[in-house]
Amino acid sequence: MKRLACLLIVVAAAAWASAETAPLPADSAVEVLVTAQRPDARFPWRRERPGTRQGYGVLISATHVITTDELVRNATLVEVRQPGRSRKWTARVIQADARADAAVLDVPDLTNDAPFKPVALDDAVPRSEKVQIVTFDEAGQMKSGDGRITEASVEPLPDASSSILLFKVLTDLKADGQGLPVFHNGRLAGLAVEYDSETQTSVVVPSLILKQVVDDVAAPPYKGLASAGLLWTTLVDPVKRRYLKLQDDNRGILVTRLLPGSGASQSLRPGDVIVSWDDKPIDSQGYYTDEMYGRLLLTHLICGRRRPGDSVPVAIVRNGVPAQVRVILSSYNDSDALIPRNAEDEPADYLVDGGLVLRELSLDYLKSFGAKWMVNAHPRLVNLYLTRALMPDKPGERIVVLSAVLPDPINIGYQGYHDEIVTKVNGQPLADLDDVFAIVKRDGGVRRLSFESTPLDLVLDPAGLAEANRRLAQQYRIPHLMNHRTGTPPPAP
Amino acid sequence: MDVSLLACLSTFYTRRLGVARTRIAGRATRKSLYFQPTVRLSFRAMRPFLPRQTAAVLTVFALGCATPVRAGLDYVEQSVVKIYVTIQREDYAQPWQAAPPQGASGSGFIVPGRRILSNAHVISDARFIEVQREGDPRKYEAKVLFAGHDCDLALLTVKDPLFFKDTRPLPFGRRLPTLDDAVIVLGYPMGGTRLSLTKGVVSRIDYSLYAHSGIDSHLVLQVDAAINPGNSGGPVLFDGRVIGLAFQGIAGAQNIGYAIPLPVLNHFLTDIADGTYDGYPELGVAHVDTRNPALRADLKLSESQTGVAVAYLDPYGAAAGYLKPRDVLLAVDGLPIANDGSVRLEGTMVEYTELMERKQCGEKIRFDVWRDGAPLTLTISLNNRTDPFAFRYAYDHKPDYYTVGGLVFSPLSRGYLATLGGDLGTPAAQRLLYCSQYAKIDMMYTNREQFVVLTARLAHPVNTYCDGFQNQIVSSVNGLHVGRLSDLPLAMTLATNGFHVIRFENNDNPLILDARAAAAAAPEIMAQYGLPALSSLDREDAP
């Protein structure tokens, strides 16, 4: 009996001590108010109706706030305030990273008398650790709750092309808000990006990932999360292992594709078996044992434990023969893809000439065909996305499509064309929309479009083009007949 | 009309297949889904400008079962019959067996020569057919003489001469009706057992998809008389004469019923006169209209010339080898083609392809062509070549398959796509749909006759880790290119070092089987999953 009482006292003392040494840094939390306007993915000169979003962020230095990318995406105005209070400070997004779902805001007018205090990032929170999560009621009153990191695993975020380390935090609080802070020992352990009320679990982007974004902002240039540029598959099947002349040791994964221009494409080949990465043995399902988080996908070794530019040792088996190579990691770049995802919903480059709408194929365009875009978008374009999205034949290659024809007398007879892949403009082959801009600048307009599906070209009357463009801009209320981010600003119609 | 969901429905069966629309820049003579006839194409062209909810999901159902009693119409009781069938569809998911037998009913009417005209979809895959006359309790066993699946028509006969006693063939009309002509529809629809009569008018005469084959389009009569499941095969009468045969409707729409019009009925009856059904000839031309002045100048057309420009030629069409892309079709059989592709025929404007629709295989069609600024007259012999990439629904045909190590391979078919149902949104299924529609246009046909698909894995220790490959298209087996299912038996003899190496299109991850273990497991897999044979290829009726 006496022993039990002692034990209780000891436990109580420990809990009290931990709370004492690390008060909840609640005054680091800010409410982030966003007005956002997405571009129309189908008709890129349009904007959808602006809307407002509300979420949270955390002050990490005198004037910098970290929050989620999703919250500030396509923002036209970002403001921060003390949760529930009236005074607002205008903020500016200085860096957003869709892959890490993180964004750094600059709030230049924050002065010393502002009611916020910055907090440090804790990028080494172990699994099963107790954390605190805070939420705010309408009056701005803080509610804090205890949570526990029940899972640390490499998983994809919605809209992300690849996976990152994510915490699942089981909490006794309804932590339903973008960017709600999760604290550990008085420091920031991560930002909540999703909440599942059924399992009372928050999905949290850990500071380990956030720190990479923050570090790059502090010391430009911005590099983002590292990428190797390889696709792989598991090697569980004993028959396949024997076929590949592998030992029966349940180790290694099979390299299937290497993205053009990537670090991995310099030293690896399709068919190579990766048995260790960065001196960590890789099992047949692609897992390694992380010192802190246990069994994790090797993706974390690339984007969690390393930075772009790092060179890592890789042990492979090539044609049954063991070998050592080095892979130089690089920044993952959506624009390296044949069909970019454009998860950031950037307004697309386009050219409207004679009512022909020319643009590059992107996933956000395909997704503009609705939730069943795979069924509703043009099958040829969907097939291209499913088979070649990441694999341009040469760097910078894109799919240029005639996405629509805006009916006008000049394009009479062509109004049934849409979603056709354009191979030539004015008889000249092209690799991307930049080529189209160059050709059109040289020739003064689109004279002739050639397509992949038919030898019959689409021909426009050059004499009527200028007049038609004026008419089209007016009739369809297109403020700019082109958008060319790297080019000169478009002339007003 | 945007055909994104097609369904065949009669009183007995429902079948759905999501068909992603296929487009080519232009219109086509080809009566297949991958070319959209005028109506659908112009709709598609406007689609990006329409809110999404108007992207109509059209469900066409083919009707399987109607009759009258009115003064002056009593004779029809001697002509309209009810058809009872027991059908058994194929099971494309398990091609070694058929689906459960089902009872069904449709309508038909007596035509000269002791024959009964009905829909092909009423008697397709029938195991047993009986017909019954109004007011006669006896049922007579019937046999199919001819079935035209591309025009959804069938001709039956009854062996017992007693059946035809006191019957009289219905007289055929002499011309297409016009809008607002009052028609009656007779047949045996659901909701009762006796002959039913409904009345209405001709609402529209148009081209439309025939849901039975899934890809063919011909002239249709749209009537507002009620046409319901079971009406299929029943006559549509104007002025006491047959002017159509009720065959399909649109689920969810009201007062829209479709009938196969006289020209199509006559085409079928003429076709079979020689004892075989050849089907409609295929020209295989996709065209773009030449209304645009810049395009006209590019094609060196003078202002007075009218016609359509050839955009694409189907390698399996009759025009392949005669016409070239960029040719302008000025006239067909001496009738000038307008810039939108229409010709004036019997006083009304119709698609120029209607002239071909009225011809039989073996007949000729003459085009006045403008090629590179010079005139040319081409006479094309019409035919209907076996096109492995047409992807019609197949009937009265056992699906092929080949198995090794519990992996089931089948040629891609419309029947198989239909089994995917809700899975059509998956990347692999989407690719199959794409291949079924664009095989020819996107030049995937050159080194193959079929797309061989891994359709199923019959789980067994020999293939435990071979999951994740379902619905992928086989590109090679043991180094041998696979362009048709019958390439597999030879390829499977080429195992090296005891392994079968099966590669799939657009997949760098091969499937590896232990050749000896796969062979050894065959009897067990056959017994466990009830396979009568490992392959259909050594069946007697195999290709």
Side-chain angles (χ1 to χ4, degrees), chain A residues 83-249:
Chain A
R85 302 300 165 92
S86 57
R87 172 145 189 221
K88 296 173 185 171
W89 286 266
T90 305
R92 184 174 61 92
V93 180
I94 46 178
Q95 188 67 55
D97 191 316
R99 194 169 166 214
D101 197 1
V104 177
L105 312 179
D106 184 37
V107 195
D109 300 334
L110 274 190
T111 48
N112 286 337
D113 62 327
F116 307 114
K117 287 213 175 65
V119 69
L121 270 59
D122 185 350
D123 64 356
V125 186
R127 196 179 147 187
S128 305
E129 199 76 346
K130 238 180 161 183
V131 291
Q132 291 80 43
I133 194 159
V134 297
T135 69
F136 300 88
D137 65 16
E138 280 173 23
Q141 298 265 42
M142 188 191 78
K143 297 182 279 184
S144 73
D146 283 340
R148 185 178 294 280
I149 300 170
T150 53
E151 192 183 325
S153 57
V154 175
E155 280 177 43
L157 279 166
D159 275 354
S161 59
S162 55
S163 306
I164 55 170
L165 179 72
L166 293 172
F167 291 160
K168 299 251 174 72
V169 174
L170 181 68
T171 155
D172 51 10
L173 207 62
K174 186 167 182 278
D176 202 358
Q178 273 283 326
L180 281 172
V182 178
F183 296 112
H184 177 252
N185 284 342
R187 294 197 293 169
L188 184 68
L191 293 179
V193 291
E194 265 180 52
Y195 177 74
D196 180 356
S197 56
E198 212 164 277
T199 57
Q200 290 182 292
T201 303
S202 281
V203 175
V204 174
V205 177
S207 288
L208 179 85
I209 299 292
L210 300 177
K211 192 168 181 299
Q212 299 189 42
V213 177
V214 173
D215 287 351
D216 278 3
V217 168
Y222 189 79
K223 299 192 291 278
L225 305 188
S227 166
L230 66 93
L231 305 181
W232 55 270
T233 185
T234 59
L235 275 178
V236 181
D237 185 355
V239 179
K240 189 176 276 180
R241 297 187 67 89
R242 275 193 280 127
Y243 167 73
L244 292 169
K245 303 185 184 81
L246 297 174
Q247 290 175 11
D248 197 13
D249 59 358

Side-chain angles (χ1 to χ4, degrees), chain B residues 11 28 36 43 50 134 257 263 346 361 369 383 407 488 492 495 517:
Chain B
T11 48
Q36 295 290 344
F43 182 88
L50 294 172
E134 185 68 14
E346 292 161 10
C361 286
V369 177
N383 59 36
L407 305 176
L488 288 180
M492 292 298 174

